[in-house]
């Protein structure tokens, strides 16, 4: 007869009984085919209720450890086919999780483009969220349209009209959880069996997403005005992916003349399109944001992509794209079975945040803040002794700039030496496609989450590396 000790139990009684019987089956104390006591007998012998035993038996049956025969009772099942790790009730998976060794001992990360939590409008966001829960509880539980809830798309459309000079039908706007997800939608919509041209240097993750989805990629070089159109023509690409307002990683802003050249290329063939990534164009240090490429497009050739990860917080995975009318109709015809990947709670909250003009106020406040941070960081560099060996490559927008370091050290060696001193920094040469190994001595400085203490610590480390080299 099965008997167990029921003193000092900190779980429900049925769960304790279930666990003890399961352990006896797993360790072989109860062999396959062994008949278990009836519920009544088991309960009477252990001084507990039959309901407790019934619940324990039911759980064991649902997991396949016990089976029942009509009018005969409960029996131990044959678990020989269950993997040994599961029999023991534990799983040990040999998975090599990715590690970023450069950041394991980092004190200052000059590649960090995250948002300082002190700068996020938590109080306003929480107030808007409470209002959404109070007044929109009935629609929060209803499935969202594939392109996003109408309120959010209408709010984005109105914002773009008022502050970016863009006239966009809300139905052209597709909301998704991050630009990476939107890339995959575009691949399914119109990139299969087509070649995409990417900027070189450029954002490495974009190419990884395209190639991992079977899309053929090629590259066109950059000059001081952005993507070189002659190289784009020679590539034979059907689609080009660009960030004309604030290129990553060079920071170049494409002038109007080059933009018209790019649009002319797209208009030469019906199947050509331009994907415009406008990821941080709102943060221009001097003057209003530059009108995006799509605002010059009169032939429906530009697919516009932007994200709230830069303007609000890097962890808010809400992005949107604007499709030309032809592609918007194609999207709803072929891909409308997809559910929107952003929760209704976040969509309605963001819609209220934008329509309540909180977003506009936040952007204005952050522009002033980032202008001040940029000024302070640049001032620190110019006042530091290392300034004699450094040159700041300025640009008028975005949240990063380039720092030229005059040294004989290669880019990789410079990065490794700084990393050993607790400083993580990325070299511009890292963003070129494979085959380009030339040292440029240009490094990226992201300042969105940078303080004067951090930049001074980084400058001290750079100075130490340079003087160490001199002493050698």
């Amino acid at each position: 007869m099965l008997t167990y000790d029921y003193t000092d139990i900190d779980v429900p009684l049925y769960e304790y009984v279930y666990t003890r019987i399961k352990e006896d089956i797993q360790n072989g104390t109860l062999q396959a085919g062994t008949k278990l006591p009836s519920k009544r007998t088991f309960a009477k012998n252990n001084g507990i209720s039959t309901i407790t035993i019934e619940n324990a038996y039911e759980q064991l049956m649902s997991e396949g450890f016990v089976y029942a025969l009509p009018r005969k009772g409960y029996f131990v099942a044959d678990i020989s086919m269950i993997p040994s790790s599961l029999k023991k009730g534990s799983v040990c998976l040999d998975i090599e999780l990715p590690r970023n060794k450069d950041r394991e001992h980092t004190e200052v990360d000059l590649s960090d483009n995250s948002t300082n939590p002190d700068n996020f409008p938590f109080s306003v966001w929480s107030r808007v969220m409470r209002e959404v829960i109070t007044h929109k509880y009935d629609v929060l539980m209803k499935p969202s349209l594939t392109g996003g809830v109408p309120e959010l798309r209408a709010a984005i459309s109105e914002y773009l009209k008022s502050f970016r000079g863009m006239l966009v039908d809300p139905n052209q706007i597709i909301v998704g959880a991050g630009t990476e997800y939107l890339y995959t939608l575009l691949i399914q919509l119109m990139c299969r069996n087509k070649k995409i041209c990417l900027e070189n240097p450029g954002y490495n993750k974009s190419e990884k997403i395209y190639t991992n989805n079977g899309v053929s990629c090629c590259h066109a070089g950059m000059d001081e005005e952005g993507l070189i159109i002659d190289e784009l023509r020679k590539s034979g690409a059907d689609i080009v992916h660009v960030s004309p307002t604030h290129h990553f990683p060079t920071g170049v802003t494409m002038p109007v003349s080059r933009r018209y050249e790019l649009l002319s290329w797209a208009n030469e063939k019906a199947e050509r399109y331009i994907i415009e990534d406008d990821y941080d164009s709102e943060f221009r240090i001097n003057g209003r944001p530059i009108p995006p490429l799509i605002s010059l497009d009169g032939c429906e050739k530009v697919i516009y992509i932007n994200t709230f990860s830069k303007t609000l917080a890097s962890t808010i995975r809400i992005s949107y794209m604007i499709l030309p009318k032809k592609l918007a109709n194609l999207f709803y015809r072929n891909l409308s079975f997809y559910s929107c990947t952003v929760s209704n709670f976040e969509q309605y909250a963001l819609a209220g945040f934008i329509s309540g003009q909180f977003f506009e106020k936040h952007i204005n406040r952050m522009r002033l803040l980032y202008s001040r941070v940029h000024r302070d960081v640049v001032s620190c560099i110019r006042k530091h002794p290392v300034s004699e060996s450094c040159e700041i490559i300025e640009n008028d927008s975005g949240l990063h700039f380039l720092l030229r370091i005059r040294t004989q050290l290669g880019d990789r060696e410079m990065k490794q030496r700084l990393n050993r001193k607790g400083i993580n920094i990325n070299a511009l040469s890292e963003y070129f496609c494979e085959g380009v190994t030339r040292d440029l001595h240009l490094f990226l400085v992201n300042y969105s989450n940078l303080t004067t203490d951090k930049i001074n610590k980084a400058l001290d480390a750079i100075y130490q590396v340079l003087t160490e080299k001199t002493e050698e």
Side-chain angles (χ1 to χ4, degrees):
M1 177 60 66
L2 294 176
T3 56
Y4 299 115
D5 182 8
Y6 297 97
T7 59
D8 299 326
I9 298 175
D10 57 359
V11 295
L13 196 53
Y14 88 91
E15 186 177 336
Y16 173 76
V17 174
Y18 145 80
T19 302
R20 295 302 304 273
I21 296 176
K22 180 179 177 180
E23 290 174 349
D24 286 344
I25 294 173
Q26 289 173 331
N27 61 32
T29 301
L30 293 173
Q31 298 290 327
T34 300
K35 183 179 180 182
L36 296 177
S38 69
K39 293 180 287 185
R40 188 183 299 276
T41 303
F42 196 159
K44 182 178 180 181
N45 187 64
N46 286 266
I48 54 183
S49 71
T50 56
I51 296 297
T52 298
I53 305 303
E54 181 176 358
N55 289 338
Y57 279 4
E58 289 293 333
Q59 185 64 34
L60 290 165
M61 289 175 62
S62 67
E63 295 183 16
F65 288 96
V66 170
Y67 63 93
L69 295 176
R71 293 189 294 275
K72 290 187 178 180
Y74 296 89
F75 297 84
V76 176
D78 182 2
I79 62 171
S80 60
M81 299 300 293
I82 299 178
S84 58
S85 61
L86 295 180
K87 290 178 184 178
K88 297 175 182 177
S90 62
V91 178
C92 182
L93 300 177
D94 184 17
I95 296 178
E96 296 183 6
L97 297 176
R99 295 170 55 194
N100 190 332
K101 295 181 180 180
D102 291 339
R103 299 189 182 188
E104 287 183 354
H105 306 291
T106 297
E107 294 182 44
V108 179
D109 190 355
L110 297 179
S111 68
D112 179 20
N113 58 6
S114 62
T115 305
N116 187 324
D118 293 336
N119 298 329
F120 185 80
F122 283 105
S123 59
V124 177
W125 187 266
S126 61
R127 186 167 75 249
V128 172
M129 181 65 80
R130 285 196 300 270
E131 290 176 357
V132 166
I133 294 174
T134 301
H135 301 294
K136 293 188 178 294
Y137 65 91
D138 54 335
V139 295
L140 288 175
M141 299 303 164
K142 293 181 180 179
S144 168
L145 295 175
T146 184
V149 300
E151 285 86 344
L152 176 55
R153 289 185 289 165
I156 293 173
S157 176
E158 186 60 32
Y159 166 75
L160 293 175
K161 175 183 175 182
S162 301
F163 301 100
R164 303 303 304 277
M166 299 166 59
L167 297 177
V168 180
D169 188 313
N171 290 319
Q172 292 178 257
I173 299 174
I174 309 298
V175 176
T179 54
E180 297 161 16
Y181 168 73
L182 297 179
Y183 293 164
T184 63
L185 287 182
L186 286 177
I187 290 168
Q188 297 174 67
L189 181 66
M190 38 87 74
C191 297
R192 300 287 190 199
N193 303 317
K194 292 185 179 180
K195 183 184 289 187
I196 292 183
C197 183
L198 301 170
E199 297 161 315
N200 185 32
Y203 184 50
N204 297 333
K205 187 180 286 188
S206 299
E207 181 170 5
K208 291 179 181 178
I209 293 170
Y210 286 130
T211 55
N212 283 348
N213 282 276
V215 178
S216 175
C217 294
C218 57
H219 302 86
M222 301 278 298
D223 62 17
E224 66 277 2
E225 293 189 344
L227 187 81
I228 301 173
I229 306 301
D230 286 343
E231 293 194 16
L232 170 60
R233 294 184 186 280
K234 293 175 183 178
S235 71
D238 307 294
I239 301 168
V240 62
H241 188 134
V242 295
S243 49
T245 300
H246 181 238
H247 175 259
F248 183 86
T250 66
V252 168
T253 297
M254 185 181 290
V256 172
S257 58
R258 182 66 61 86
R259 295 183 185 220
Y260 277 117
E261 285 186 67
L262 187 57
L263 288 170
S264 296
W265 167 86
N267 286 323
E268 289 172 2
K269 293 184 179 181
E271 66 273 14
R272 285 181 177 173
Y273 284 97
I274 301 168
I275 299 174
E276 178 183 15
D277 190 343
D278 206 29
Y279 69 101
D280 72 348
S281 60
E282 289 87 355
F283 297 122
R284 189 162 182 249
I285 297 174
N286 298 312
R288 290 178 60 84
I290 296 174
L293 183 64
I294 191 174
S295 65
L296 304 176
D297 177 27
C299 299
E300 300 277 311
K301 287 292 185 178
V302 177
I303 300 163
Y304 178 89
I305 296 181
N306 207 333
T307 178
F308 292 97
S309 297
K310 289 291 185 180
T311 49
L312 280 177
S314 54
T315 52
I316 291 185
R317 305 299 299 167
I318 305 179
S319 301
Y320 63 94
M321 63 180 173
I322 301 171
L323 297 176
K325 293 181 177 64
K326 179 181 177 181
L327 291 181
N329 286 325
L330 185 64
F331 174 84
Y332 286 110
R333 187 162 59 246
N334 295 345
L335 300 179
S336 60
F337 61 87
Y338 277 107
S339 300
C340 183
T341 50
V342 182
S343 78
N344 283 5
F345 287 82
E346 291 176 298
Q347 289 194 69
Y348 281 110
L350 182 55
F353 192 79
I354 297 173
S355 60
Q357 299 185 339
F358 301 116
F359 185 61
E360 175 193 356
K361 295 175 182 177
H362 173 72
I363 291 293
N364 291 335
R365 184 171 64 86
M366 295 307 293
R367 281 200 192 113
L368 292 174
L369 173 66
Y370 287 140
S371 295
R372 185 167 62 252
V373 173
H374 176 271
R375 183 182 64 246
D376 292 344
V377 169
V378 169
S379 176
C380 288
I381 296 174
R382 289 174 176 166
K383 291 178 180 178
H384 197 278
V386 79
S387 63
E388 296 181 0
S389 303
C390 294
E391 177 188 358
I392 300 170
I393 310 299
E394 290 277 18
N395 53 70
D396 286 334
S397 63
L399 300 176
H400 81 274
F401 59 83
L402 294 178
L403 184 68
R404 189 190 305 277
I405 301 178
R406 290 185 282 273
T407 175
Q408 296 300 313
L409 292 173
D411 291 352
R412 180 176 296 181
E413 177 65 20
M414 187 71 184
K415 177 172 180 170
Q416 290 175 346
R417 292 195 182 196
L418 286 174
N419 187 250
R420 288 195 289 269
K421 295 181 180 296
I423 309 299
N424 184 51
I425 192 169
N426 290 340
L428 179 63
S429 55
E430 296 179 55
Y431 296 93
F432 282 84
C433 63
E434 292 183 8
V436 177
T437 57
R438 182 166 57 96
D439 292 316
L440 302 174
H441 309 297
L442 289 168
F443 298 85
L444 279 71
V445 177
N446 288 275
Y447 60 85
S448 61
N449 198 17
L450 202 57
T451 63
T452 53
D453 287 343
K454 288 182 179 180
I455 187 62
N456 280 321
K457 185 173 292 187
L459 294 173
D460 289 343
I462 294 172
Y463 186 74
Q464 290 170 16
V465 169
L466 296 178
T467 52
E468 288 169 3
K469 178 62 179 177
T470 302
E471 292 169 1
E472 292 175 4

